[in-house]
Amino acid sequence: MQTLFPHMMIYSVAASVVFYIPFWRHFITWIGSVPATSQNFKRLLKKGSVAVVVGGIAEMYMGHPHRERIKLKGRRGFAKIALEEQVDGIVCVYYFGQSQVLSFGPAWLAGVSRRLRTSFGYLTGWMGLPVPKPLPIYMVNGRPIPVPKVPRDSPDFDKEVDKLLDACIKELGEMYDRHRAEYGWSNRPLSIE
């Protein structure tokens, strides 16, 4: 992200469990990620923007040959932190093609992986190897979603978290529909679960 947007400080968080895996821990740290705890998220927001893949482990197993599937419903954590930290806004980002460069499975391990908070399975890509398929990736940004200034102790705080999450879901769906033909996916619908 720093290469694409050198004028912006963009940080990332990753599932805490990956920092216990030898070699992967070094790679994920090298690219600038820190464990996805609320304290780290809030600390990074004070320094700049934070990129979050909200779908997590559940979304890794949601690959589908004929439609895009993402896990966003019920994922309130990022919206709650945005409200608590009173950030200016949330910008949804979608990478067309990223779901096709690597496959993850087998799907029957999804439940175990979610319970243990780590992904079990393997990646397959080019020629069945864990190497990405050489496909184009097309990144699009949504319209900024303003974050209301609501105090944490407000009786409406939880309702505002839900409203902000709903606004993100709506914008992500609309953004996908605005851009999918540009990528050649006019007939590939998006399912937000």
Side-chain angles (χ1 to χ4, degrees), residues 160-187:
E160 290 297 327
V161 170
D162 291 334
K163 283 172 50 178
L164 184 56
L165 176 58
D166 290 343
C168 290
I169 290 169
K170 181 176 187 269
E171 174 56 25
L172 188 62
E174 290 174 357
M175 175 184 64
Y176 182 89
D177 288 339
R178 279 193 307 269
H179 295 283
R180 68 182 177 165
E182 296 166 19
Y183 189 72
W185 280 5
S186 296
N187 297 321

Side-chain angles (χ1 to χ4, degrees), residues 139-161:
M139 181 183 112
V140 296
N141 297 320
R143 297 179 179 113
I145 300 166
V147 176
K149 305 299 185 215
V150 179
R152 177 67 184 105
D153 56 357
S154 167
D156 294 330
F157 185 82
D158 284 334
K159 278 191 237 175
E160 290 297 327
V161 170

